[in-house]
Amino acid sequence: MVFSSLIFLYAFLPLSLIVYFLCKDIRAKNISLLVFSLIFYAWGEPVYVLLLMFMSLCSWFCALRVEYAESDRTAKFWVAISVVTDILLIGFFKYAGMFFSLFGAVPDFVSRVALPIGISFYTFQLMTYVIDVYREDAEARDSYLDVLLYAALFHQCIAGPIVRFKTISRELYVKRNTKDLLPGIIRFSVGLAKKTLLANPCGSLADSILATNGPLAGMTVLSAWLGALAYTLQIYLDFSAYSDMAIGMGKMIGLHYMENFNYPYISGSVTEFWRRWHISLSTFFRDYVYIPLGGNRCSTPRMLLNMFVVWALTGLWHGASWNFVAWGLYYFVFLAMEKLFLEKALDRTGIISHIYLILIVMFGWILFYYTDIR
């Protein structure tokens, strides 16, 4: 089920809102929200709801052990248990095929494994929950259902934004209002229009050029540029539309998710682009990977290594294919150059910096589009 489908628009969403607003207190509202979120996850692949419930159970248990740990060493142990469990599970369900392909044929039992809906998003959310409890940025929840609700919220499971526990816990469990019901409906409608009226036609045009023409060498120069431009527009409109719809649905019931896109194509550098593109993902890697590795408060070679790790992981997070790793490392190269010497020069070039950024992004999206690395 996707947000732009008729069954979601005319049945699932209205019914979930009606039941939600008929509930009188926040506990009842949360139960209705949890039930509809689990139904959403179970719609296409019921068995994988059990995976979501199991991963939430592990995070709930580990966070409580962290909260009541008698020493920092014990707390770190339970954080490690939680993070390793999450990584192993997402590694199997999302990346096992890619791993086995390094050694030849992929086993049948691996090739038959379907990718659970939203696993990339709820895995990161559960990791931030346990880590934030360890950092004392949030308090562990005594109720398992509270953690399951946080992980299972259907609003943002398809394309984000990645919701951090510490930023939403008060609205989710303590106090919530519906003053933003109308702005939420408007934001959802804008996202829906962006998806159906703009993103889908751009996607059809991109696929008709890039997918049907086969090898790149078989295209004309004009068709190659047109296909790249269409896909550049489609991928922004698509992802930002889903974020708009998620943010809008959250506002309808008094939940406020972070903005995820801020007009990234007006940027004048790759560094600025990644401050504006998929903000919840880039800030996640900054706060939970880059800074703990040492960030830029270290020697230049170590800083570059930290950036390399972050961008290899960023590419890998987007999909289980080597083209995504290449796409992430492609951005690492430009970000490293800007960090070392290029960014100050770009500040003085005006319109040239915007042309530079658009060309880099368009070429990058071609790496992203073709999953066959050859």
Side-chain angles (χ1 to χ4, degrees):
M1 194 188 314
V2 295
F3 297 158
S4 56
S5 66
L6 295 182
I7 193 168
F8 181 86
L9 294 172
Y10 291 103
F12 185 88
L13 181 58
L15 183 59
S16 68
L17 290 173
I18 290 170
V19 173
Y20 177 87
F21 284 111
L22 286 176
C23 297
K24 297 189 179 299
D25 57 59
I26 194 168
R27 180 174 176 79
K29 290 178 184 294
N30 281 352
I31 291 173
S32 73
L33 190 56
L34 175 58
V35 169
F36 276 97
S37 294
L38 294 178
I39 292 172
F40 185 92
Y41 275 92
W43 190 263
E45 41 195 34
V47 69
Y48 285 138
V49 172
L50 299 177
L51 175 65
L52 168 64
M53 296 174 72
F54 174 74
M55 292 178 70
S56 300
L57 179 66
C58 292
S59 295
W60 166 75
F61 178 80
C62 290
L64 286 175
R65 301 283 73 77
V66 170
E67 182 95 337
Y68 298 112
E70 296 181 353
S71 67
D72 185 62
R73 182 176 180 179
T74 303
K76 286 181 177 179
F77 170 79
W78 287 110
V79 172
I81 290 294
S82 176
V83 171
V84 168
T85 300
D86 290 336
I87 291 174
L88 287 176
L89 287 171
I90 193 176
F92 173 74
F93 284 97
K94 188 171 182 178
Y95 301 108
M98 182 179 175
F99 173 78
F100 280 106
S101 68
L102 294 173
F103 305 99
V106 178
D108 288 341
F109 79 94
V110 173
S111 60
R112 288 196 298 267
V113 173
L115 181 65
I117 182 174
I119 189 172
S120 296
F121 290 95
Y122 66 70
T123 298
F124 274 20
Q125 290 181 191
L126 289 170
M127 289 171 65
T128 65
Y129 167 61
V130 178
I131 293 170
D132 286 347
V133 170
Y134 169 74
R135 293 176 174 177
E136 298 183 351
D137 291 332
E139 294 183 358
R141 302 298 301 181
D142 292 328
S143 171
Y144 161 65
L145 294 181
D146 286 349
V147 178
L148 180 59
L149 172 63
Y150 161 67
L153 285 169
F154 71 87
H155 303 147
Q156 37 68 46
C157 71
I158 295 178
I162 297 170
V163 178
R164 297 193 192 183
F165 183 78
K166 64 182 179 181
T167 64
I168 200 177
S169 59
R170 178 170 175 78
E171 289 183 336
L172 197 55
Y173 308 118
V174 181
K175 186 177 180 180
R176 195 181 311 159
N177 62 64
T178 55
K179 292 182 180 179
D180 285 336
L181 175 61
L182 182 58
I185 293 172
I186 294 172
R187 183 68 179 269
F188 179 86
S189 301
V190 168
L192 180 62
K194 189 189 292 185
K195 166 67 178 171
T196 55
L197 301 180
L198 298 176
N200 287 352
C202 287
S204 297
L205 177 59
D207 287 340
S208 68
I209 297 172
L210 300 178
T212 58
N213 281 347
L216 289 172
M219 298 182 193
T220 65
V221 171
L222 180 59
S223 65
W225 277 104
L226 182 60
L229 177 60
Y231 187 61
T232 298
L233 292 173
Q234 182 235 332
I235 200 162
Y236 164 68
L237 293 168
D238 215 330
F239 277 124
S240 65
Y242 273 115
S243 289
D244 287 339
M245 288 188 275
I247 292 168
M249 286 187 289
K251 283 186 175 182
M252 291 180 201
I253 61 170
L255 298 175
H256 294 82
Y257 306 135
M258 71 180 298
E259 293 293 336
N260 212 21
F261 292 88
N262 183 24
Y263 304 103
Y265 289 162
I266 69 171
S267 303
S269 67
V270 175
T271 303
E272 183 185 357
F273 174 80
W274 278 102
R275 293 193 189 113
R276 295 172 175 269
W277 178 276
H278 210 330
I279 300 167
S280 63
L281 179 66
S282 57
T283 54
F284 171 89
F285 277 112
R286 181 196 66 197
D287 295 342
Y288 295 95
V289 180
Y290 182 66
I291 292 176
L293 285 175
N296 55 9
R297 296 183 177 181
C298 50
S299 65
T300 298
R302 178 56 190 267
M303 179 193 71
L304 293 176
L305 176 62
N306 296 341
M307 292 176 64
F308 179 89
V309 171
V310 165
W311 287 99
L313 292 174
T314 300
L316 194 61
W317 182 86
H318 281 84
S321 179
W322 292 109
N323 70 296
F324 294 115
V325 178
W327 174 79
L329 296 180
Y330 168 84
Y331 275 110
F332 158 73
V333 171
F334 289 101
L335 287 164
M337 289 194 300
E338 290 183 5
K339 179 75 74 173
L340 294 175
F341 60 86
L342 194 57
E343 192 166 18
K344 291 183 179 179
L346 289 171
D347 290 339
R348 299 191 295 267
T349 57
I351 189 65
I352 295 175
S353 66
H354 296 285
I355 297 172
Y356 150 89
L357 182 278
I358 290 297
L359 290 175
I360 288 172
V361 169
M362 287 180 69
F363 294 149
W365 288 136
I366 294 300
L367 275 176
F368 195 90
Y369 183 88
Y370 287 104
T371 55
D372 186 342
I373 194 66
R374 292 170 296 179

